[in-house]
Amino acid sequence: VTKAGGVWMVMAGALSTGGGGLALVCGTAALLLVDLVLSYTYLSLFWGTLHFVLSFISLGIVYVIIKSLQEKSVVLFANHKARQPKDEATEFEAGQDLHKWRLLSESGRQRWFYLPELQQASSTATNTAQTQGATTGTEPTGLEHLSSSKQQEVWERYFLGFDISQEVPELASATTPLDAARNGMKFFEKLQLQDGHWANDYGGPLFLMPGAVFTCYITGAELRPSQKREMIRYLVNRQNKDGGWGMHVEGGSTIFGSGLNYVSLRLLGLAKDHPAMVLGRQFLQSNGGVAGIPSWGKLWLATLGLYKWEGVNPVLPELWLLPYWVPIHPGRLWCHARMVYLPMAYLYGSKATCKETPLIRELRDEVWTQKWETINWPPLRDACNDIDRYVPHSTMLTIINAVLRLYERFQIPSLRKRSLDETLKHIRYDDVQTKWINIGPVNKVMNMLSIWFAEGDSQHFKNHRPRLDDYLWLHKDGMKMQGYNGCQLWDTSFAVQAVIEAGLDGEFKECMKKAHDYLDITQVIEDYPKRDEYYHHISAGAWPFSTRDHGWPIADCTGEALRACLYLRASGSKHTLSAERYAAAVNVLLSFQNTDGGWPTYELKRAGSYMELFNPSEVFGDIMVDYSYVELSSASMKAMVHFLQHFPDSPRKAEILPALDRGIEWIKKIQKKEGGWYGSWAVCFTYGTWFGIEALVMCGKVLGKDYRNDYHVLKAVDFLLSKQNKDGGWGEDFQSCVRKYYVQNEKSQVGNTAWALLALMAADTKHKDAVKRGIDFLMSQQLANGDWPQESIKGVFNGNCSIAYDSYKNVFPVWALGRYATRYSQGVPSVF
């Protein structure tokens, strides 16, 4: 009785404020006193004392957890300001001839090369071979296709910002939605690469490239001179008016972005008296320098010797030695977090720091506001500047960090060595299985750096350097590091569905054939070996986001690619996959469903939301476990509906139907009270609501339910209609993602408009005038060559960082216009 009363009072006290909370805490103390008397009455002195101490500790833990959960819900928006860009994004001159750059693509692998450097390397290799009597074999494969006599392709010229009016002339003005869709596809077809995919800029985050620059500086894995020049151009162009850099291109200046990019420019060779450096230094100095840089920035600077490890909170490699049943085992983390904190653990555990150089000593004076020798490091562990902080540390994390620091002071050398060996084993495994691409750019360069500190200039380390080029994308504003090695499969899957639903596949047969070929070669055929040992989900039959070499399976990529393949099959295309491969994709989709009924990204949700109490990043939200998302769920569910339409007698039908039913209930459950769905991977409610409506309507068909007149769908329709602008379009700002409510963009956007229209037409809304006005808006924004103008950034991840999906402005307007022309305006149900 006293235990139950104590727990109840502690919970109530933690959730209360003021005098009420104090009274409850006093009541709890009284109950503990009764517990003490009873303990000594019925137990021996030893066991009574032990029992009372454990009771006290348990109630204290309950209190801390409740308070931490409260803190977890606090998100700081006030300091997240919009970016104030310079007048021109390309004001910093290239310093070299952009006409001499070429994009090499092989089975989706994209790499940019500067021809004069290739010719010089080829000449050097030839001379070496003649001298040694053998070829060196050092040149990357496929470069023989690039030559100075070969003119730039239209897509290369387009990405680099050149005039392409000769290659893509003006088209006859569209007078109907179908004409507009056709013109849009005539333009977009020109951007399809030879291997069948669409390439595009997938940049936006500004904290990625510094990791590559730091790693190359520390290891001596030199970037090519042309790459350095273009990186400098990009970073100078992306500097804000106040002298700082944001975490992403549409964000206000932060210490995370400013500190890392300032240091990067200096490492790349920009002099400290360059105007950009003077302005950047002024911003840092006026905001306390890098003392309050978030935890990821602290760790990166520590590897350079610009922060001491005593100022970094522990990332213990010993956690990888724990048994998996421990609730906080790293194997339970969302894979992106897991694969980043894995090499972080190695770097922290080994206190990996490069040799001090004169440049590092100069930088200490430039990025700090006090003398290096006078800095008191321990208080800086939890320091995070207010302009950066998005998710504050929970009380629980603060306590855990204190315990881990104590352990770090007395850690056992033999145990540390074992744990470092364990992390290296996992790092090497990920390198090999992804052919040294890794899951993303952060762990790519951290893995590379960890291997160098562990092995030096080994062959394993050397295998990393060529794959770094897979992440570097050249655009008209310079060279950036992308958020992945591209979004090749993702963009191609959407493009196929848009063309076929518009009924244009007959006019773009060769385009669709090439797209199918890319879908074919990108499907993952087999599982990773020893996947359980390395905490991997099954992957055979799945599709990744980019290329097969990358290999990490993703639920919505699998769903959208499967739908694209089935669309091609339904259209009568001769280019189809085998029934076994479709079934393998469905097997993966079924395996992805979480216990809550929704679908995650890469893996099942392996731990509870309590893991967010231990989120140490400060700048990213909901990164600790793989949650269910409306986009992932909808894509997976719609794909299985299409599969059943093609294979109604599949033995998996008995599993698919209840899975769809559970998925529908989950989607209805997470609908916002305003009527929309929050989109976690693009901006934002227009995107999420499109997925939510289509999932309900399409799945309802195979489950014998008509959701077009369901309360949830009608409420979503009303929500979208309430956001339509006077010009007929929809425009949503990136801040919707950050603030978790609809934030109006200053003007309508073709991307948001297309998503809203696709959703309304899927719902078969009776508000046809509203749909027609949206269609008119899309047509009015189309350029004479069939393209649409580039607008505000459309992608997002982890609630606080934007990322570009440049193809969205082409694909989704074509899709919406085509759906309107061939189905909605004809009175045909708008979703297959």
Side-chain angles (χ1 to χ4, degrees), residues 707-726:
Y707 275 97
R708 290 175 296 176
N709 294 314
D710 178 79
Y711 164 78
H712 297 276
V713 171
L714 294 177
K715 187 178 179 181
V717 167
D718 288 342
F719 168 76
L720 290 174
L721 292 175
S722 72
K723 304 303 180 184
Q724 189 172 24
N725 296 327
K726 291 181 178 179

Side-chain angles (χ1 to χ4, degrees), residues 606-626:
R606 297 175 175 179
S609 300
Y610 65 82
M611 290 290 278
E612 294 301 331
L613 295 173
F614 310 108
N615 179 358
S617 71
E618 294 131 349
V619 294
F620 302 115
D622 296 332
I623 65 168
M624 300 300 282
V625 294
D626 208 339

Side-chain angles (χ1 to χ4, degrees), residues 473-504:
W473 180 259
L474 185 63
H475 203 59
K476 59 186 177 183
D477 56 353
M479 180 167 278
K480 63 200 71 178
M481 194 167 193
Q482 301 187 105
Y484 228 72
N485 64 325
C487 47
Q488 299 89 316
L489 182 280
W490 185 245
D491 286 347
T492 303
S493 300
F494 279 139
V496 168
Q497 294 176 66
V499 171
I500 294 179
E501 194 166 338
L504 296 173

